Amino acid sequence: MQRYFIDSNVPESQKISIGIPHYHHIINVMRHVSGDQLIFVFNAGETYIVTIEEVEKETISCHLTERLEKTVELPIDVTLACGLPKGDKLDLIVQKTTELGIFSIQPFEAERSIVKWDEKKETKKRQRLQKIAQEAAEQSHRVHVPEILPLLTSKKLLLELAQYTHVFIADEEEAKINEQKVFKKLLNTMKINDKLLIITGPEGGLSRNEVTSYIEKGAISGSLGPRILRTETAPLYAMAAISYEFEL
Amino acid sequence: MQRYFIDSNVPESQKISIGIPHYHHIINVMRHVSGDQLIFVFNAGETYIVTIEEVEKETISCHLTERLEKTVELPIDVTLACGLPKGDKLDLIVQKTTELGIFSIQPFEAERSIVKWDEKKETKKRQRLQKIAQEAAEQSHRVHVPEILPLLTSKKLLLELAQYTHVFIADEEEAKINEQKVFKKLLNTMKINDKLLIITGPEGGLSRNEVTSYIEKGAISGSLGPRILRTETAPLYAMAAISYEFEL
């Protein structure tokens, strides 16, 4: 998502007209129309969601819609559906993806997950992971603490996909050269406040059965580069790439 | 670096003329000229460095220069100069940056490094880290094993900067909103086989003195997003972003 740096202070009227040089990019390149929302960064870094009111021949009239106080939060909500990995890898995943701006984490029992959580273990594990998320959020000065959602089976996860704007499966078996651009293309189409679910598998990956059933529900699959990444590295890669795309 | 997907097989003649749609991007957008090198991906994912021979009105004549057999290696060489962190964090950094495509790792004693390596400890540590790099390279199917370079002091590191095409300092104290684009802009200017050095500090970061002395030697500093990242997370972020930029 493109941020536009506006060389003025925040207008007291809460309205602003934009001409050259941003006009060309907003209208001709990004093809925005009335009603669309953009992010404007004013002097001193004050950041607002603005809504386009009217597109004229050389200017765009906008009004400020919402002040983004939390400039440390990503402009999209990212949830990680993480197939239960072995050992304490989930601790690392929760800590690092929290630092990297994740919104929530959805653990699920993938077909190839060796680890199982019974009810008692789940309660304990989720408490522990929630504490890790809390500490990592504080350490990285976030204003949102990611929620560790209740464990789902792989089939129950399927029923949750509809509540997300986009679902991306990080799938190494699909990692052929022509599919390496899928993730970048997806991020380029996303809008402010969109909800993205990223599904990563346990050691051994997702089963073909799982991937097919998610794709039938509208998910898309793609790779995270040409190298084989470990279970715990794929979520970190995805989150760093999202920050790089939306925040740098 | 832009890869161009060419909808044909590798030409037997080792020569190829390119017209629409790539012409516009190569010549007008990227402003390439005769002698410049590009990456072409042919059918079945065969990837070559090609050199522009001649730019005509609507076509570009190129010859194939080098087959990139190692498509799992990044097209630029990235070295991480990592201020010695506490505990076993360097183990994690070496393992994860190797998975993410690093070329070599240069440990250095930063002014704020609490950990010190004497000669005996250095030998042992480097052997251990080299083994971690070897295993991670194998696991991620790489063809290059990153080298763990001999420990330097912060001052000695300064003398090494000249051998890199670009030096980037990941510096959180510089992480003001207007400097968030520095890293992305830098990556966008890089060319095939450029050598990039990324400097990250230990816990507590680099001293102002260190940052200033690196900048005097041509380094540039910038942030890796708006959130505070732990010592071991910054290198992973940088490497994932580089892969996202160059490989997806």
Side-chain angles (χ1 to χ4, degrees), chain B residues 159-184:
Chain B
L159 305 176
E160 300 293 314
L161 302 197
Q163 58 171 289
Y164 296 93
T165 329
H166 300 279
V167 181
F168 176 77
I169 312 166
D171 184 18
E172 298 200 327
E173 295 192 36
E174 302 270 329
K176 295 177 200 108
I177 192 119
N178 290 321
E179 284 151 6
Q180 285 188 11
K181 280 171 176 282
V182 169
F183 186 55
K184 191 177 247 174

PDB file of all heavy atoms in Angstrom, chain B residues 159-184:
ATOM      1  N   LEU B 159      37.925  -0.265   8.265  1.00  0.00           N
ATOM      2  CA  LEU B 159      38.877  -0.392   7.159  1.00  0.00           C
ATOM      3  C   LEU B 159      38.378  -1.342   6.064  1.00  0.00           C
ATOM      4  O   LEU B 159      38.918  -1.360   4.963  1.00  0.00           O
ATOM      5  CB  LEU B 159      40.226  -0.892   7.687  1.00  0.00           C
ATOM      6  CG  LEU B 159      40.846  -0.053   8.812  1.00  0.00           C
ATOM      7  CD1 LEU B 159      42.122  -0.716   9.320  1.00  0.00           C
ATOM      8  CD2 LEU B 159      41.111   1.373   8.354  1.00  0.00           C
ATOM      9  N   GLU B 160      37.378  -2.141   6.402  1.00  0.00           N
ATOM     10  CA  GLU B 160      36.865  -3.127   5.441  1.00  0.00           C
ATOM     11  C   GLU B 160      35.762  -2.565   4.538  1.00  0.00           C
ATOM     12  O   GLU B 160      35.432  -3.166   3.522  1.00  0.00           O
ATOM     13  CB  GLU B 160      36.298  -4.345   6.189  1.00  0.00           C
ATOM     14  CG  GLU B 160      37.295  -5.080   7.056  1.00  0.00           C
ATOM     15  CD  GLU B 160      38.378  -5.762   6.232  1.00  0.00           C
ATOM     16  OE1 GLU B 160      38.035  -6.415   5.240  1.00  0.00           O
ATOM     17  OE2 GLU B 160      39.577  -5.599   6.582  1.00  0.00           O
ATOM     18  N   LEU B 161      35.197  -1.437   4.941  1.00  0.00           N
ATOM     19  CA  LEU B 161      33.983  -0.961   4.248  1.00  0.00           C
ATOM     20  C   LEU B 161      34.209  -0.711   2.759  1.00  0.00           C
ATOM     21  O   LEU B 161      33.309  -0.919   1.946  1.00  0.00           O
ATOM     22  CB  LEU B 161      33.436   0.326   4.899  1.00  0.00           C
ATOM     23  CG  LEU B 161      33.056   0.268   6.383  1.00  0.00           C
ATOM     24  CD1 LEU B 161      32.164   1.446   6.745  1.00  0.00           C
ATOM     25  CD2 LEU B 161      32.383  -1.032   6.778  1.00  0.00           C
ATOM     26  N   ALA B 162      35.433  -0.275   2.407  1.00  0.00           N
ATOM     27  CA  ALA B 162      35.707   0.106   1.019  1.00  0.00           C
ATOM     28  C   ALA B 162      35.538  -1.042   0.034  1.00  0.00           C
ATOM     29  O   ALA B 162      35.292  -0.815  -1.145  1.00  0.00           O
ATOM     30  CB  ALA B 162      37.119   0.680   0.914  1.00  0.00           C
ATOM     31  N   GLN B 163      35.637  -2.279   0.514  1.00  0.00           N
ATOM     32  CA  GLN B 163      35.535  -3.394  -0.440  1.00  0.00           C
ATOM     33  C   GLN B 163      34.096  -3.758  -0.806  1.00  0.00           C
ATOM     34  O   GLN B 163      33.871  -4.659  -1.606  1.00  0.00           O
ATOM     35  CB  GLN B 163      36.280  -4.624   0.082  1.00  0.00           C
ATOM     36  CG  GLN B 163      35.788  -5.115   1.424  1.00  0.00           C
ATOM     37  CD  GLN B 163      36.429  -6.448   1.766  1.00  0.00           C
ATOM     38  OE1 GLN B 163      36.123  -7.466   1.174  1.00  0.00           O
ATOM     39  NE2 GLN B 163      37.328  -6.410   2.731  1.00  0.00           N
ATOM     40  N   TYR B 164      33.122  -3.063  -0.201  1.00  0.00           N
ATOM     41  CA  TYR B 164      31.709  -3.339  -0.529  1.00  0.00           C
ATOM     42  C   TYR B 164      31.161  -2.238  -1.438  1.00  0.00           C
ATOM     43  O   TYR B 164      31.549  -1.077  -1.332  1.00  0.00           O
ATOM     44  CB  TYR B 164      30.888  -3.440   0.757  1.00  0.00           C
ATOM     45  CG  TYR B 164      31.317  -4.616   1.609  1.00  0.00           C
ATOM     46  CD1 TYR B 164      32.270  -4.461   2.615  1.00  0.00           C
ATOM     47  CD2 TYR B 164      30.799  -5.889   1.365  1.00  0.00           C
ATOM     48  CE1 TYR B 164      32.693  -5.544   3.378  1.00  0.00           C
ATOM     49  CE2 TYR B 164      31.219  -6.978   2.129  1.00  0.00           C
ATOM     50  CZ  TYR B 164      32.164  -6.800   3.129  1.00  0.00           C
ATOM     51  OH  TYR B 164      32.577  -7.873   3.869  1.00  0.00           O
ATOM     52  N   THR B 165      30.233  -2.643  -2.336  1.00  0.00           N
ATOM     53  CA  THR B 165      29.595  -1.661  -3.211  1.00  0.00           C
ATOM     54  C   THR B 165      28.725  -0.701  -2.398  1.00  0.00           C
ATOM     55  O   THR B 165      28.677   0.496  -2.668  1.00  0.00           O
ATOM     56  CB  THR B 165      28.693  -2.372  -4.249  1.00  0.00           C
ATOM     57  OG1 THR B 165      29.218  -3.657  -4.572  1.00  0.00           O
ATOM     58  CG2 THR B 165      28.556  -1.549  -5.504  1.00  0.00           C
ATOM     59  N   HIS B 166      28.022  -1.254  -1.402  1.00  0.00           N
ATOM     60  CA  HIS B 166      27.130  -0.450  -0.561  1.00  0.00           C
ATOM     61  C   HIS B 166      27.236  -0.930   0.878  1.00  0.00           C
ATOM     62  O   HIS B 166      27.393  -2.124   1.115  1.00  0.00           O
ATOM     63  CB  HIS B 166      25.669  -0.600  -0.992  1.00  0.00           C
ATOM     64  CG  HIS B 166      25.402  -0.182  -2.408  1.00  0.00           C
ATOM     65  ND1 HIS B 166      25.221   1.130  -2.784  1.00  0.00           N
ATOM     66  CD2 HIS B 166      25.298  -0.909  -3.539  1.00  0.00           C
ATOM     67  CE1 HIS B 166      25.003   1.195  -4.082  1.00  0.00           C
ATOM     68  NE2 HIS B 166      25.051  -0.031  -4.570  1.00  0.00           N
ATOM     69  N   VAL B 167      27.136   0.009   1.807  1.00  0.00           N
ATOM     70  CA  VAL B 167      27.117  -0.353   3.234  1.00  0.00           C
ATOM     71  C   VAL B 167      25.879   0.266   3.870  1.00  0.00           C
ATOM     72  O   VAL B 167      25.668   1.487   3.786  1.00  0.00           O
ATOM     73  CB  VAL B 167      28.390   0.145   3.963  1.00  0.00           C
ATOM     74  CG1 VAL B 167      28.347  -0.265   5.438  1.00  0.00           C
ATOM     75  CG2 VAL B 167      29.645  -0.413   3.290  1.00  0.00           C
ATOM     76  N   PHE B 168      25.051  -0.571   4.480  1.00  0.00           N
ATOM     77  CA  PHE B 168      23.818  -0.100   5.122  1.00  0.00           C
ATOM     78  C   PHE B 168      23.890  -0.370   6.621  1.00  0.00           C
ATOM     79  O   PHE B 168      24.183  -1.492   7.048  1.00  0.00           O
ATOM     80  CB  PHE B 168      22.594  -0.815   4.528  1.00  0.00           C
ATOM     81  CG  PHE B 168      21.304  -0.457   5.214  1.00  0.00           C
ATOM     82  CD1 PHE B 168      20.679   0.758   4.950  1.00  0.00           C
ATOM     83  CD2 PHE B 168      20.716  -1.324   6.129  1.00  0.00           C
ATOM     84  CE1 PHE B 168      19.489   1.109   5.592  1.00  0.00           C
ATOM     85  CE2 PHE B 168      19.526  -0.976   6.773  1.00  0.00           C
ATOM     86  CZ  PHE B 168      18.918   0.230   6.494  1.00  0.00           C
ATOM     87  N   ILE B 169      23.615   0.664   7.427  1.00  0.00           N
ATOM     88  CA  ILE B 169      23.581   0.506   8.881  1.00  0.00           C
ATOM     89  C   ILE B 169      22.123   0.444   9.326  1.00  0.00           C
ATOM     90  O   ILE B 169      21.373   1.393   9.087  1.00  0.00           O
ATOM     91  CB  ILE B 169      24.251   1.700   9.591  1.00  0.00           C
ATOM     92  CG1 ILE B 169      25.611   2.013   8.960  1.00  0.00           C
ATOM     93  CG2 ILE B 169      24.365   1.456  11.076  1.00  0.00           C
ATOM     94  CD1 ILE B 169      26.154   3.380   9.388  1.00  0.00           C
ATOM     95  N   ALA B 170      21.724  -0.676   9.921  1.00  0.00           N
ATOM     96  CA  ALA B 170      20.369  -0.769  10.473  1.00  0.00           C
ATOM     97  C   ALA B 170      20.387  -0.075  11.823  1.00  0.00           C
ATOM     98  O   ALA B 170      20.923  -0.597  12.795  1.00  0.00           O
ATOM     99  CB  ALA B 170      19.958  -2.229  10.631  1.00  0.00           C
ATOM    100  N   ASP B 171      19.818   1.114  11.859  1.00  0.00           N
ATOM    101  CA  ASP B 171      20.016   1.972  13.026  1.00  0.00           C
ATOM    102  C   ASP B 171      18.682   2.478  13.529  1.00  0.00           C
ATOM    103  O   ASP B 171      18.035   3.317  12.918  1.00  0.00           O
ATOM    104  CB  ASP B 171      20.905   3.149  12.622  1.00  0.00           C
ATOM    105  CG  ASP B 171      21.238   4.020  13.821  1.00  0.00           C
ATOM    106  OD1 ASP B 171      21.074   3.545  14.967  1.00  0.00           O
ATOM    107  OD2 ASP B 171      21.637   5.174  13.612  1.00  0.00           O
ATOM    108  N   GLU B 172      18.265   1.970  14.681  1.00  0.00           N
ATOM    109  CA  GLU B 172      16.936   2.318  15.181  1.00  0.00           C
ATOM    110  C   GLU B 172      16.851   3.752  15.662  1.00  0.00           C
ATOM    111  O   GLU B 172      15.787   4.347  15.620  1.00  0.00           O
ATOM    112  CB  GLU B 172      16.555   1.367  16.297  1.00  0.00           C
ATOM    113  CG  GLU B 172      16.483  -0.053  15.745  1.00  0.00           C
ATOM    114  CD  GLU B 172      15.683  -0.978  16.593  1.00  0.00           C
ATOM    115  OE1 GLU B 172      15.697  -0.794  17.813  1.00  0.00           O
ATOM    116  OE2 GLU B 172      15.068  -1.877  16.017  1.00  0.00           O
ATOM    117  N   GLU B 173      17.951   4.299  16.105  1.00  0.00           N
ATOM    118  CA  GLU B 173      17.886   5.691  16.562  1.00  0.00           C
ATOM    119  C   GLU B 173      17.636   6.651  15.400  1.00  0.00           C
ATOM    120  O   GLU B 173      17.207   7.776  15.577  1.00  0.00           O
ATOM    121  CB  GLU B 173      19.163   6.055  17.324  1.00  0.00           C
ATOM    122  CG  GLU B 173      19.274   5.246  18.605  1.00  0.00           C
ATOM    123  CD  GLU B 173      20.360   5.749  19.547  1.00  0.00           C
ATOM    124  OE1 GLU B 173      20.573   6.970  19.631  1.00  0.00           O
ATOM    125  OE2 GLU B 173      20.994   4.904  20.187  1.00  0.00           O
ATOM    126  N   GLU B 174      17.935   6.176  14.208  1.00  0.00           N
ATOM    127  CA  GLU B 174      17.688   6.985  13.010  1.00  0.00           C
ATOM    128  C   GLU B 174      16.294   6.691  12.436  1.00  0.00           C
ATOM    129  O   GLU B 174      15.942   7.183  11.370  1.00  0.00           O
ATOM    130  CB  GLU B 174      18.738   6.668  11.936  1.00  0.00           C
ATOM    131  CG  GLU B 174      20.172   6.884  12.356  1.00  0.00           C
ATOM    132  CD  GLU B 174      20.677   8.295  12.077  1.00  0.00           C
ATOM    133  OE1 GLU B 174      20.227   8.911  11.110  1.00  0.00           O
ATOM    134  OE2 GLU B 174      21.513   8.773  12.865  1.00  0.00           O
ATOM    135  N   ALA B 175      15.554   5.852  13.159  1.00  0.00           N
ATOM    136  CA  ALA B 175      14.308   5.338  12.584  1.00  0.00           C
ATOM    137  C   ALA B 175      13.170   6.354  12.629  1.00  0.00           C
ATOM    138  O   ALA B 175      12.115   6.088  13.159  1.00  0.00           O
ATOM    139  CB  ALA B 175      13.908   4.053  13.298  1.00  0.00           C
ATOM    140  N   LYS B 176      13.403   7.500  12.078  1.00  0.00           N
ATOM    141  CA  LYS B 176      12.318   8.491  11.989  1.00  0.00           C
ATOM    142  C   LYS B 176      11.565   8.243  10.691  1.00  0.00           C
ATOM    143  O   LYS B 176      12.064   7.643   9.757  1.00  0.00           O
ATOM    144  CB  LYS B 176      12.895   9.898  12.036  1.00  0.00           C
ATOM    145  CG  LYS B 176      13.550  10.165  13.378  1.00  0.00           C
ATOM    146  CD  LYS B 176      14.182  11.526  13.404  1.00  0.00           C
ATOM    147  CE  LYS B 176      15.222  11.573  14.511  1.00  0.00           C
ATOM    148  NZ  LYS B 176      16.598  11.593  13.990  1.00  0.00           N
ATOM    149  N   ILE B 177      10.369   8.726  10.673  1.00  0.00           N
ATOM    150  CA  ILE B 177       9.460   8.344   9.579  1.00  0.00           C
ATOM    151  C   ILE B 177      10.042   8.631   8.198  1.00  0.00           C
ATOM    152  O   ILE B 177       9.860   7.862   7.273  1.00  0.00           O
ATOM    153  CB  ILE B 177       8.084   9.018   9.765  1.00  0.00           C
ATOM    154  CG1 ILE B 177       7.052   8.401   8.821  1.00  0.00           C
ATOM    155  CG2 ILE B 177       8.144  10.515   9.533  1.00  0.00           C
ATOM    156  CD1 ILE B 177       5.904   7.771   9.511  1.00  0.00           C
ATOM    157  N   ASN B 178      10.781   9.724   8.063  1.00  0.00           N
ATOM    158  CA  ASN B 178      11.284  10.062   6.735  1.00  0.00           C
ATOM    159  C   ASN B 178      12.467   9.206   6.312  1.00  0.00           C
ATOM    160  O   ASN B 178      12.869   9.257   5.168  1.00  0.00           O
ATOM    161  CB  ASN B 178      11.674  11.535   6.683  1.00  0.00           C
ATOM    162  CG  ASN B 178      10.438  12.401   6.737  1.00  0.00           C
ATOM    163  OD1 ASN B 178       9.429  12.073   6.130  1.00  0.00           O
ATOM    164  ND2 ASN B 178      10.502  13.483   7.482  1.00  0.00           N
ATOM    165  N   GLU B 179      12.990   8.449   7.241  1.00  0.00           N
ATOM    166  CA  GLU B 179      14.140   7.624   6.889  1.00  0.00           C
ATOM    167  C   GLU B 179      13.767   6.161   6.699  1.00  0.00           C
ATOM    168  O   GLU B 179      14.618   5.317   6.528  1.00  0.00           O
ATOM    169  CB  GLU B 179      15.223   7.774   7.955  1.00  0.00           C
ATOM    170  CG  GLU B 179      15.937   9.113   7.788  1.00  0.00           C
ATOM    171  CD  GLU B 179      16.466   9.664   9.089  1.00  0.00           C
ATOM    172  OE1 GLU B 179      16.390   8.977  10.107  1.00  0.00           O
ATOM    173  OE2 GLU B 179      16.947  10.815   9.065  1.00  0.00           O
ATOM    174  N   GLN B 180      12.469   5.889   6.713  1.00  0.00           N
ATOM    175  CA  GLN B 180      12.041   4.502   6.578  1.00  0.00           C
ATOM    176  C   GLN B 180      12.190   3.977   5.162  1.00  0.00           C
ATOM    177  O   GLN B 180      12.113   2.785   4.945  1.00  0.00           O
ATOM    178  CB  GLN B 180      10.613   4.328   7.070  1.00  0.00           C
ATOM    179  CG  GLN B 180      10.557   4.365   8.596  1.00  0.00           C
ATOM    180  CD  GLN B 180       9.208   4.004   9.148  1.00  0.00           C
ATOM    181  OE1 GLN B 180       8.349   3.538   8.436  1.00  0.00           O
ATOM    182  NE2 GLN B 180       9.033   4.228  10.430  1.00  0.00           N
ATOM    183  N   LYS B 181      12.376   4.877   4.206  1.00  0.00           N
ATOM    184  CA  LYS B 181      12.466   4.397   2.835  1.00  0.00           C
ATOM    185  C   LYS B 181      13.909   4.186   2.367  1.00  0.00           C
ATOM    186  O   LYS B 181      14.135   3.722   1.250  1.00  0.00           O
ATOM    187  CB  LYS B 181      11.751   5.364   1.895  1.00  0.00           C
ATOM    188  CG  LYS B 181      10.239   5.161   1.916  1.00  0.00           C
ATOM    189  CD  LYS B 181       9.529   6.265   1.160  1.00  0.00           C
ATOM    190  CE  LYS B 181       8.038   5.992   1.114  1.00  0.00           C
ATOM    191  NZ  LYS B 181       7.672   4.986   0.104  1.00  0.00           N
ATOM    192  N   VAL B 182      14.885   4.521   3.202  1.00  0.00           N
ATOM    193  CA  VAL B 182      16.285   4.451   2.803  1.00  0.00           C
ATOM    194  C   VAL B 182      16.677   3.052   2.329  1.00  0.00           C
ATOM    195  O   VAL B 182      17.301   2.881   1.281  1.00  0.00           O
ATOM    196  CB  VAL B 182      17.210   4.890   3.970  1.00  0.00           C
ATOM    197  CG1 VAL B 182      18.657   4.567   3.665  1.00  0.00           C
ATOM    198  CG2 VAL B 182      17.033   6.375   4.254  1.00  0.00           C
ATOM    199  N   PHE B 183      16.304   2.034   3.089  1.00  0.00           N
ATOM    200  CA  PHE B 183      16.703   0.659   2.768  1.00  0.00           C
ATOM    201  C   PHE B 183      16.097   0.219   1.433  1.00  0.00           C
ATOM    202  O   PHE B 183      16.777  -0.353   0.588  1.00  0.00           O
ATOM    203  CB  PHE B 183      16.280  -0.274   3.904  1.00  0.00           C
ATOM    204  CG  PHE B 183      16.773  -1.690   3.757  1.00  0.00           C
ATOM    205  CD1 PHE B 183      18.128  -1.964   3.595  1.00  0.00           C
ATOM    206  CD2 PHE B 183      15.891  -2.753   3.793  1.00  0.00           C
ATOM    207  CE1 PHE B 183      18.586  -3.275   3.458  1.00  0.00           C
ATOM    208  CE2 PHE B 183      16.339  -4.064   3.669  1.00  0.00           C
ATOM    209  CZ  PHE B 183      17.686  -4.319   3.498  1.00  0.00           C
ATOM    210  N   LYS B 184      14.811   0.512   1.248  1.00  0.00           N
ATOM    211  CA  LYS B 184      14.151   0.122  -0.003  1.00  0.00           C
ATOM    212  C   LYS B 184      14.783   0.845  -1.193  1.00  0.00           C
ATOM    213  O   LYS B 184      15.032   0.239  -2.234  1.00  0.00           O
ATOM    214  CB  LYS B 184      12.656   0.436   0.077  1.00  0.00           C
ATOM    215  CG  LYS B 184      11.848  -0.160  -1.057  1.00  0.00           C
ATOM    216  CD  LYS B 184      10.360   0.109  -0.889  1.00  0.00           C
ATOM    217  CE  LYS B 184       9.588  -1.173  -0.634  1.00  0.00           C
ATOM    218  NZ  LYS B 184       8.172  -0.924  -0.322  1.00  0.00           N
TER     219      LYS B 184
END
